């Protein structure tokens, strides 16, 4: 049908779930990462800037409650009628602390008027059972999504980018979250374009995520090469080739075809601050990229899941 996307988009999912458009409000709650502070490694992931994934947060140094209201005020400039919000603890690893600290920081924002859910960006090595139990309690009060950074399922790539955890640990963590917090949804994060990964490896990353694990959503990120990151050296020494827009569109469309149609696509590209981005510069035209993906799916006569084993239709 004209106007409908060829994949199960997050915007459509939230409209069905909450009955209207819902804002996802990014918050920097002051957490660190275990591969930055020496818990498992130093220096962080090689693609990560010193400010982590929160480069676009409006007021990251403000108190949590103040951040919340500054973010929604900013969003209301474009969508003044939206009145439902999901608090997104985005930057760094938002379960990398003692439970009492986590609880104190979460409660500062999730009790604000209009908050209907909580999204938590974290890693598989930072979810002990007691933390998952707290998330289970929260899921009785609101919609809870655990966003697990994986980025790749290949150990050689994981070592190269300094993830400092294994794919096996990721699988085990997903199983524990599903068991201990069954109402919480799990979203896997993958990055397309990591050093040394081929088109087929990027497809295999998705296959493993959706066949090995009981997840409810997936985020497909484009690798952004940023200033002041360790990955700059890989690029300047020729170990990293940035994807072209045509390559990226082809990869994402192939990935969408093998992702079962019930899985929500939380993201199929990404954002990066212009003044920090080394490349690919075409990624700054986000809507052009999104439109190119949709156009290619339509050109193929394709849709999400049409090559997944459990689907009965074909592309």
């Amino acid at each position: 049908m004209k106007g409908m996307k060829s994949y199960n988009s997050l915007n459509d999912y939230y409209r069905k779930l909450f009955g209207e458009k819902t804002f996802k409000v990014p918050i920097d709650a002051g957490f660190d990462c275990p591969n930055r502070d020496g818990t498992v490694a130093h220096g962080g992931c090689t693609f990560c800037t010193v400010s982590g994934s929160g480069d676009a947060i409006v007021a990251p140094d403000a108190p949590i409650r103040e951040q919340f209201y500054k973010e929604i005020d900013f969003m209301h400039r474009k969508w003044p009628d939206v009145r439902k919000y999901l608090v997104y603890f985005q930057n760094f690893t938002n379960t990398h602390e003692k439970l009492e600290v986590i609880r104190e920081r979460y409660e500062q924002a999730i009790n604000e008027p209009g908050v209907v859910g909580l999204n938590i960006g974290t890693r598989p090595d930072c979810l002990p059972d007691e933390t998952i139990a707290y998330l289970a309690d929260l899921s009785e009060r609101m919609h809870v999504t655990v966003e697990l950074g994986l980025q790749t399922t290949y150990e050689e790539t994981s070592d190269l980018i300094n993830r400092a955890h294994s794919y096996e640990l990721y699988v085990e963590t997903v199983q524990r979250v599903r068991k201990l917090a069954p109402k919480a949804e799990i979203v896997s994060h993958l990055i397309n374009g990591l050093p040394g990964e081929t088109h087929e490896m990027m497809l295999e990353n998705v296959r493993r995520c959706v066949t090995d694990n009981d997840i409810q959503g997936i985020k497909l990120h484009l690798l952004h090469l940023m200033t002041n990151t360790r990955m700059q050296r890989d690029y300047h020494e020729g170990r990293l080739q940035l994807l072209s827009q045509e390559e990226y569109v082809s990869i994402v469309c192939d990935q969408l075809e093998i992702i079962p149609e019930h899985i929500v696509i939380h993201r199929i590209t990404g954002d990066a601050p212009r003044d920090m981005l080394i490349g690919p510069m075409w990624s700054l035209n986000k809507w052009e990229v999104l439109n190119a993906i949709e156009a290619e799916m339509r050109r193929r006569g394709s849709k999400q899941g049409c090559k997944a084993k459990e689907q009965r239709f074909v592309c």
Side-chain angles (χ1 to χ4, degrees), residues 31-307:
F31 295 102
D32 206 338
C33 276
N35 65 342
R36 284 167 44 97
D37 66 10
T39 303
V40 296
H42 291 279
C45 297
T46 62
F47 56 79
C48 196
T49 68
V50 293
S51 53
S53 60
D55 293 310
I57 293 175
V58 173
D61 297 324
I64 291 173
R65 188 170 183 269
E66 182 179 335
Q67 284 187 57
F68 175 80
Y69 283 102
K70 285 182 179 292
E71 287 286 345
I72 64 174
D73 286 347
F74 179 77
M75 293 175 177
H76 281 153
R77 296 175 192 175
K78 186 173 182 180
W79 296 284
D81 297 327
V82 175
R83 291 294 180 268
K84 289 186 179 180
Y85 315 104
L86 296 120
V87 176
Y88 180 22
F89 286 104
Q90 177 184 17
N91 206 20
F92 296 125
T93 305
N94 294 274
T95 57
H96 182 47
E97 256 297 356
K98 295 178 180 178
L99 180 57
E100 56 267 29
V101 176
I102 294 170
R103 181 184 290 109
E104 187 272 333
R105 294 182 188 178
Y106 284 13
E107 299 290 337
Q108 289 183 51
I110 61 177
N111 290 314
E112 295 299 326
V115 172
V116 294
L118 171 66
N119 286 51
I120 303 147
T122 187
R123 290 165 48 100
D125 54 358
C126 293
L127 280 167
D129 287 353
E130 64 174 5
T131 299
I132 299 175
Y134 172 56
L135 300 183
D137 290 341
L138 286 176
S139 69
E140 298 294 334
R141 296 162 50 187
M142 62 184 61
H143 186 75
V144 172
T145 302
V146 179
E147 298 199 13
L148 277 179
L150 175 58
Q151 320 314 353
T152 180
T153 65
Y154 289 91
E155 299 306 324
E156 59 268 33
T157 308
S158 183
D159 291 343
L160 185 63
I161 64 175
N162 197 41
R163 279 302 291 175
H165 69 75
S166 66
Y167 176 61
E168 286 73 20
L169 177 61
Y170 173 84
V171 173
E172 185 271 333
T173 301
V174 170
Q175 292 171 347
R176 284 193 299 111
V177 174
R178 292 267 46 85
K179 178 181 178 181
L180 299 175
K183 289 187 177 181
E185 295 190 351
I186 298 175
V187 176
S188 298
H189 289 218
L190 293 172
I191 295 178
N192 288 324
L194 289 171
E197 294 209 341
T198 64
H199 189 124
E200 181 53 41
M201 291 171 74
M202 289 179 246
L203 293 184
E204 185 61 20
N205 282 329
V206 167
R207 288 191 191 100
R208 291 173 179 174
C209 271
V210 299
T211 59
D212 294 354
N213 303 283
D214 180 9
I215 64 172
Q216 290 66 55
I218 196 164
K219 272 189 175 180
L220 301 174
H221 294 265
L222 166 67
L223 175 67
H224 290 109
L225 181 62
M226 308 286 281
T227 58
N228 300 318
T229 61
R230 296 165 66 190
M231 193 169 280
Q232 278 183 273
R233 180 182 297 177
D234 294 325
Y235 179 66
H236 292 308
E237 295 180 358
R239 292 187 297 273
L240 172 64
Q241 299 296 319
L242 299 178
L243 294 173
S244 69
Q245 182 172 318
E246 293 74 18
E247 288 172 322
Y248 187 74
V249 169
S250 176
I251 290 163
V252 169
C253 290
D254 287 349
Q255 290 173 324
L256 288 173
E257 289 178 347
I258 63 174
I259 297 172
E261 60 180 340
H262 70 274
I263 291 180
V264 180
I265 308 301
H266 283 238
R267 175 164 289 187
I268 54 174
T269 181
D271 301 288
R274 182 181 294 271
D275 61 346
M276 298 179 66
L277 182 65
I278 298 173
M281 299 309 293
W282 55 261
S283 67
L284 293 171
N285 300 314
K286 182 176 179 179
W287 283 106
E288 180 180 312
V289 179
L290 294 173
N291 289 337
I293 291 170
E294 186 61 37
E296 174 61 15
M297 293 293 279
R298 292 182 184 277
R299 186 196 68 79
R300 297 181 182 191
S302 187
K303 63 184 294 186
Q304 178 183 337
C306 67
K307 292 184 180 178

